Amino acid sequence: MYALVAYFDEKTDAEVQKLWNSLKEEGISSYAFEIKNLRPHITLASYKTLAVDTYIEWLLRHYSKTQVVPINFESLGTFIDSKAIFLAPTLNDGLSRLHQSHHAQHGNFDDYSDSLYIPNKWIPHCTLANHLSDTQIVAAFQYLTKRIQKIEGMIESLALIQVPERNHVKTLYTIKLRH
């Protein structure tokens, strides 16, 4: 599997990693530490197969002049039957345009019609914990709602990643957005 993910500025990245660390220290979830090379992110698109070199060339053409995108996390959520907890960003114009433009411009790369990241299915999120038991979900919500505060930052880069196996992320290409 391949994905295009949005990475955050250093401060926002550190804030999410602090939440990951605190969930681990509390014995609630070590999800983020079970996946090699995982970074805080929002997934914009996913693919079963991909012509990687062609896609990277397309990324360069399409995103070389794209500006950084402001991001605000003000909500905590879960998906029904997912056993996951995530930070949900406010869907502002910049984030919405980034996602819509990506899918409008690159339709020939979409090969996964059941993807949760295509338009009209996408729920932007940054996963904090995953594969939780019912008890862990309750504990995570109780813990996080007492400690979490609004996080404001920027999406500063996009990365093409590959997930060659369940617990491993491999970054194939990163493009920095313009300030």
Side-chain angles (χ1 to χ4, degrees), residues 4-155:
L4 181 68
V5 298
Y7 286 144
F8 312 124
D9 62 277
E10 204 172 291
K11 182 178 175 265
T12 304
D13 190 91
E15 289 294 320
V16 174
Q17 288 194 36
K18 276 198 288 190
L19 294 171
W20 284 352
N21 281 320
S22 64
L23 288 169
K24 183 179 179 185
E25 289 168 4
E26 291 296 313
I28 297 170
S29 173
S30 59
Y31 153 77
F33 304 94
E34 295 167 2
I35 302 172
K36 185 178 177 185
N37 300 323
L38 183 67
R39 286 184 56 189
H41 66 276
I42 293 173
T43 303
L44 298 171
S46 65
Y47 313 97
K48 288 182 181 179
T49 61
L50 193 65
V52 172
D53 292 337
T54 303
Y55 191 83
I56 290 171
E57 288 174 21
W58 179 84
L59 286 174
L60 277 166
R61 283 193 314 274
H62 188 71
Y63 290 109
S64 63
K65 295 182 179 169
T66 301
Q67 298 290 316
V68 296
V69 176
I71 190 114
N72 295 314
F73 291 103
E74 300 184 57
S75 301
L76 191 61
T78 188
F79 296 113
I80 295 171
D81 292 329
S82 72
K83 307 295 185 191
I85 292 180
F86 56 81
L87 285 171
T90 302
L91 189 55
N92 60 34
D93 287 343
L95 183 57
S96 181
R97 269 195 311 272
L98 182 66
H99 183 259
Q100 291 291 334
S101 171
H102 179 79
H103 287 277
Q105 297 288 327
H106 87 296
N108 58 326
F109 290 106
D110 279 336
D111 71 342
Y112 190 15
S113 62
D114 288 336
S115 172
L116 298 174
Y117 307 103
I118 60 175
N120 300 319
K121 276 190 166 182
W122 185 56
I123 299 172
H125 65 283
C126 177
T127 304
L128 296 177
N130 205 349
H131 312 295
L132 300 172
S133 68
D134 292 343
T135 304
Q136 289 172 310
I137 287 177
V138 171
F141 268 109
Q142 287 175 338
Y143 179 79
L144 291 167
T145 55
K146 292 177 185 172
R147 287 162 183 82
I148 202 165
Q149 295 183 6
K150 179 179 176 179
I151 300 172
E152 295 181 355
M154 295 282 184
I155 292 173

Side-chain angles (χ1 to χ4, degrees), residues 149-164:
Q149 295 183 6
K150 179 179 176 179
I151 300 172
E152 295 181 355
M154 295 282 184
I155 292 173
E156 287 194 334
S157 63
L158 302 177
L160 174 62
I161 63 168
Q162 181 182 21
V163 183

